[in-house]
Amino acid sequence: MRRIRVVGDGFDPAAEAEALQAGRVDVGATVSFVGYCRGEAGTLAALELEHFPGMAEAEMERIAIEAERRWPLLGVAIVHRHGLVRPGEPIVAVATASAHRAAAFAGAEFIMDFLKTDAPFWKREHRRDQVADPTSPDGWVAAKPGDDAARSRWPEG
Amino acid sequence: MRRIRVVGDGFDPAAEAEALQAGRVDVGATVSFVGYCRGEAGTLAALELEHFPGMAEAEMERIAIEAERRWPLLGVAIVHRHGLVRPGEPIVAVATASAHRAAAFAGAEFIMDFLKTDAPFWKREHRRDQVADPTSPDGWVAAKPGDDAARSRWPEG
Amino acid sequence: MRALYFAWVRERVGLAEEEIAPPPGVDTVGAVMAWLSGRGDNYAAAFAQPGTVRAALDRRHAKPDVAIAGAREIAFFPPMTGG
Amino acid sequence: MRALYFAWVRERVGLAEEEIAPPPGVDTVGAVMAWLSGRGDNYAAAFAQPGTVRAALDRRHAKPDVAIAGAREIAFFPPMTGG
């Protein structure tokens, strides 16, 4: 089972892992990751998420297929928000199901690492104090070098 | 926030990660692991989980505290079933919350690895076909060498 | 071919999308970027730092050395920051 | 002191718990196991393979060389299989 969605409104991140396991007795483990919009100590009003419609879904699907190829996964779900997201709201949910825990954990981590660097989404900060971040005067969040490092810890192939 | 429970009935595993993040804007990531009873291709009627009351909760708490010491976790939840568990039902749920994903993933994996080898629970199989597993004539599930290996990948200290 | 711009590339160019016709010889992703840079200050600002802007051909990531032959759509955008 | 038995250790001993009084000299977890083994076939069957049975003193894991002095409760059980 593969569930891939880009959504413009709030969503229930807990529903994804449950959907992968519902009605099955071959799933021994699910791992669910949820990424949330943080308030940055009260300075952030909202994050605005721009995306490339069509390519975003295609890239999420490609990442899911690659995870299924690398580990014996019985299900993968990826949901990503676009639009305006407030502190405390979910941005992304990734869930994996497998017979055993190692594959479920590795699959979910792999998908998150690749989503960060390869899925066409861009975050812009709307700050509560109207004071621009000096490292990003136009509000667009800069990519983190750590994200490239996280991606490259997975061997090719 | 630390939520540690041993339960004798079914429970909602999705509620644990949600409880760690609810009402907060400092949590950027939650990871939730759920372990389920598998049907073993129709041969398993149920798993019976015996535990050491008191020590089980104490050990789960010690493992949670050690994870909090190793990673900057904002919350940890561990729920473990005892008693008779049917295929498809959850046995264990572990949830972690952190500002960033790496700590949430590592904390959840660490807790699962240590729960497997250190939390005083013992599984016994009730088989549908009444034919005993030759490697375990009394039905008690043998510990897996892989569980010790998973535990020992975490450095001491 | 159709060109799409996202995030600060879109803002600097001042357009979300447009039809472009790269001349003969402008036959790779990187060559299209260099050619666009010469079309005005807005494009120059968008493509100022080589290596910063990423591209996709027909909705697949494409490095600068990839040939554009046969592609109907080319997209330009900053390094991704989703997830 | 109180002795508790779990899972197949409990089934082989035939008791879930009992009061035991290790004699002088039986002062470590491993020594208690060896002493119990000599108390009858049921105990011998439970503690037959040294190294297989695990122990806890006052609800903390304890290796065979740990002294039992001061402990009120000792528990014996197979390697754990929860999670």
Side-chain angles (χ1 to χ4, degrees), chain C residues 17-43:
Chain C
E17 54 181 295
E18 64 178 323
E19 201 63 28
I20 60 171
V26 176
D27 50 10
T28 65
V29 167
V32 174
M33 286 198 222
W35 170 69
L36 284 171
S37 299
R39 293 181 71 193
D41 290 350
N42 54 335
Y43 291 96

Side-chain angles (χ1 to χ4, degrees), chain A:
Chain A
M1 182 187 272
R2 199 183 302 139
R3 295 160 60 89
I4 307 289
R5 278 186 303 149
V6 176
V7 296
D9 283 308
F11 64 99
D12 175 14
E16 298 306 314
E18 285 183 343
L20 298 184
Q21 191 270 337
R24 300 184 71 149
V25 295
D26 55 346
V27 169
T30 61
V31 168
S32 174
F33 173 89
V34 187
Y36 291 92
C37 176
R38 283 180 287 124
E40 309 298 354
T43 62
L44 190 82
L47 280 179
E48 184 186 340
L49 275 140
E50 180 168 333
H51 78 302
F52 182 171
M55 180 169 166
E57 292 87 343
E59 196 62 28
M60 288 156 73
E61 180 113 11
R62 284 192 280 269
I63 295 167
I65 289 169
E66 179 60 20
E68 289 164 358
R69 197 182 68 75
R70 291 183 180 225
W71 294 280
L73 301 177
L74 297 168
V76 173
I78 311 177
V79 183
H80 205 298
R81 261 302 277 282
H82 72 90
L84 214 60
V85 184
R86 307 273 173 194
E89 291 181 358
I91 296 171
V92 60
V94 168
T96 53
S98 184
H100 301 287
R101 75 185 187 283
F105 268 119
E109 285 195 73
F110 174 90
I111 290 168
M112 273 309 302
D113 285 348
F114 277 73
L115 274 183
K116 286 265 177 190
T117 57
D118 289 19
F121 291 87
W122 301 274
K123 290 193 185 102
R124 166 179 246 165
E125 292 189 342
H126 291 250
R127 295 174 69 96
R128 215 177 269 286
D129 52 14
Q130 308 290 335
V131 179
D133 180 341
T135 66
S136 173
D138 55 7
W140 293 104
V141 173
K144 293 192 208 78
D147 287 336
D148 283 331
R151 184 194 198 279
S152 57
R153 71 187 162 131
W154 302 100
E156 294 272 340

Side-chain angles (χ1 to χ4, degrees), chain B residues 49-55 59 62 80 91-92 112 116-124 138 140-143, chain D residues 4-12 54-61 73 75-83:
Chain B
L49 276 141
E50 181 168 334
H51 77 300
F52 182 170
M55 180 169 168
E59 196 64 27
R62 284 192 280 270
H80 204 298
I91 296 170
V92 61
M112 272 311 301
K116 287 266 177 188
T117 56
D118 288 21
F121 290 87
W122 302 274
K123 290 193 185 104
R124 166 181 247 165
D138 56 6
W140 292 104
V141 172
Chain D
L4 309 181
Y5 309 109
F6 291 96
W8 56 250
V9 175
R10 172 178 53 70
E11 292 188 336
R12 292 184 193 177
R54 309 291 174 89
L57 276 180
D58 290 336
R59 306 187 174 185
R60 279 182 171 270
H61 290 294
E73 181 190 274
F76 298 103
F77 41 79
M80 286 139 283
T81 56

Side-chain angles (χ1 to χ4, degrees), chain D residues 1-82:
Chain D
M1 71 195 307
R2 202 74 191 156
L4 309 181
Y5 309 109
F6 291 96
W8 56 250
V9 175
R10 172 178 53 70
E11 292 188 336
R12 292 184 193 177
V13 170
L15 287 170
E17 53 181 295
E18 65 178 321
E19 202 63 28
I20 60 170
V26 176
D27 50 10
T28 64
V29 166
V32 174
M33 286 199 221
W35 170 69
L36 284 171
S37 299
R39 291 179 74 194
D41 289 349
N42 54 334
Y43 292 97
F47 296 98
Q49 297 133 299
T52 310
V53 175
R54 309 291 174 89
L57 276 180
D58 290 336
R59 306 187 174 185
R60 279 182 171 270
H61 290 294
K63 297 219 183 280
D65 60 354
V66 174
I68 62 167
R72 285 169 301 180
E73 181 190 274
I74 189 164
F76 298 103
F77 41 79
M80 286 139 283
T81 56

